[in-house]
């Protein structure tokens, strides 16, 4: 059985297709998924997925790319995080890829938003789901400055270097691999995946995006997460069943057990 640790089932590409998606998951042996929140406005829909299905959980957070949306406070995030089946704060982090003509200095609003999420994660004792793109140095710096290691969490859809992976592991974080791991051009990332200890690896789809080979370019769903596990197993020279079991156990340790303890 496989777990998809990061998907967006409330996005327009997938909303309204839930029964088909759940049937495909069951057929593919994907027995659990974490539904990720990207705005406060979206939270109720993401939360309904988690409360309506005993194999779904959800996060609460505002994605760094989201603009012209409600800006969350530590209090907002903590209040929503106290609801049943909310097991993580995020996705949050920094994304300097789409600056839209702005300088990195002008992205202070993103850094402030990330700090708010780290403080909420520490306050609620929930792990962080971190998105970082073209911004790894600042992402790590803010985690250090805010004491993010106390919350822990995962660097999701990892596409960074070996050095960043090492720094994330040193902070106690997990590293999640997506369908990008199967892309022909991702040889550097495959080296990183060989290096990350299996007991710190998660797998995800980030659906509806980033469908793994052989479905690349199509709309992605959680049913495709076994392709990521298969690639990771090949890189580590292990049976895929072992990678499935380990990543499922890691998911439980990071998200499910945390929520049951609180
Ligand atoms: Zn992301
Ligand atoms: Zn995402």
């Amino acid at each position: 059985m496989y777990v998809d640790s990061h998907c967006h089932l409330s996005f327009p590409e997938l909303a309204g297709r839930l029964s088909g998606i759940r049937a495909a998951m069951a057929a593919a042996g994907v027995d659990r998924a974490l539904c990720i929140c990207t705005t406060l406005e979206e939270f109720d829909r993401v939360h309904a997925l988690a409360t309506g299905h005993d194999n779904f959980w959800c996060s609460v957070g505002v994605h760094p790319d989201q603009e012209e949306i409600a800006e969350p406070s530590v209090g907002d995030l903590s209040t929503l995080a106290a609801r049943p089946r909310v097991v993580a704060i995020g996705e949050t982090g920094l994304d300097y890829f789409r600056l839209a003509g702005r300088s990195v200095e002008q992205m202070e609003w993103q850094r402030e938003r990330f700090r708010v999420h780290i403080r909420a994660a520490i306050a609620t004792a929930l792990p962080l789901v971190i998105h970082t793109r073209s911004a790894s140095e600042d992402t790590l710096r803010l985690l250090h400055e805010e004491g993010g290691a106390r919350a822990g969490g995962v660097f999701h859809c990892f596409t960074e270097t070996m050095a960043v992976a090492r720094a994330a592991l040193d902070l106690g974080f997990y590293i999640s691999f997506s369908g990008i791991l199967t892309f022909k051009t991702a040889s550097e990332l495959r080296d990183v995946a060989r290096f990350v200890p299996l007991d710190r690896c998660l797998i995800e789809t980030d659906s509806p995006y980033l469908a793994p080979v052989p479905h690349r370019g199509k709309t992605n769903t959680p049913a495709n997460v076994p392709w990521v596990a298969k690639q990771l197993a090949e890189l580590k020279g292990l049976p895929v069943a072992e990678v499935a079991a380990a990543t499922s156990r890691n998911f439980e340790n990071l998200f499910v057990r945390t929520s049951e303890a609180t």
Side-chain angles (χ1 to χ4, degrees), residues 6 8 36 38 63 91 131 156 204 206 209:
H6 191 114
H8 297 281
I36 299 293
T38 63
H63 192 289
E91 61 179 296
H131 169 110
H156 107 89
E204 67 172 85
D206 207 8
Y209 312 122

Side-chain angles (χ1 to χ4, degrees), residues 14-257:
L14 298 177
R17 291 181 47 194
L18 189 62
S19 59
I21 287 168
R22 288 180 59 79
M25 283 175 68
V30 181
D31 67 341
R32 289 172 287 180
L34 179 54
C35 301
I36 299 293
C37 178
T38 63
T39 63
L40 294 181
E41 291 86 342
E42 183 193 17
F43 176 78
D44 282 342
R45 281 179 289 136
V46 182
H47 188 237
L49 288 164
T51 53
H53 307 277
D54 64 6
N55 59 345
F56 286 165
W57 291 264
C58 77
S59 68
V60 58
V62 179
H63 192 289
D65 280 345
Q66 293 284 354
E67 299 186 45
E68 289 161 33
I69 39 81
E71 196 62 43
S73 66
V74 173
D76 293 332
L77 294 170
S78 304
T79 302
L80 295 175
R83 302 258 194 100
R85 301 188 72 75
V86 181
V87 296
I89 302 292
E91 61 179 296
T92 180
L94 300 174
D95 194 326
Y96 298 160
F97 185 73
R98 286 189 197 87
L99 289 173
R102 293 165 290 193
S103 69
V104 164
E105 289 69 38
Q106 288 171 307
M107 303 304 273
E108 185 57 30
W109 59 273
Q110 257 194 17
R111 292 185 285 275
E112 186 51 37
R113 184 187 289 174
F114 184 29
R115 288 184 192 279
V116 164
H117 282 77
I118 300 170
R119 289 169 196 162
I122 293 168
T124 57
L126 287 178
L128 286 157
V129 174
I130 292 181
H131 169 110
T132 183
R133 193 170 183 201
S134 309
S136 58
E137 217 171 284
D138 276 2
T139 300
L140 290 164
R141 178 171 62 82
L142 264 58
L143 280 172
H144 278 288
E145 287 177 6
E146 295 289 338
R150 280 169 61 199
V154 58
F155 278 58
H156 107 89
C157 195
F158 197 82
T159 53
E160 303 293 330
T161 61
M162 195 81 90
V164 176
R166 247 191 219 109
L169 291 170
D170 287 347
L171 277 168
F173 278 72
Y174 289 75
I175 289 180
S176 180
F177 296 101
S178 69
I180 293 174
L181 197 62
T182 68
F183 294 179
K184 214 170 249 164
T185 49
S187 56
E188 212 177 307
L189 183 62
R190 282 189 284 275
D191 288 340
V192 173
R194 280 189 196 96
F195 158 76
V196 176
L198 186 58
D199 66 0
R200 302 287 283 283
C201 289
L202 293 174
I203 52 173
E204 67 172 85
T205 59
D206 207 8
S207 17
Y209 312 122
L210 300 170
V213 175
H215 301 294
R216 189 170 180 183
K218 295 187 192 140
T219 301
N220 201 7
T221 79
N224 285 328
V225 82
W227 295 102
V228 181
K230 182 172 170 279
Q231 175 69 83
L232 189 56
E234 276 167 27
L235 294 171
K236 295 201 171 292
L238 295 169
V240 69
E242 200 170 316
V243 167
T247 51
S248 295
R249 199 161 51 234
N250 297 342
F251 178 86
E252 284 164 22
N253 286 337
L254 181 59
F255 295 116
V256 183
R257 205 160 295 170

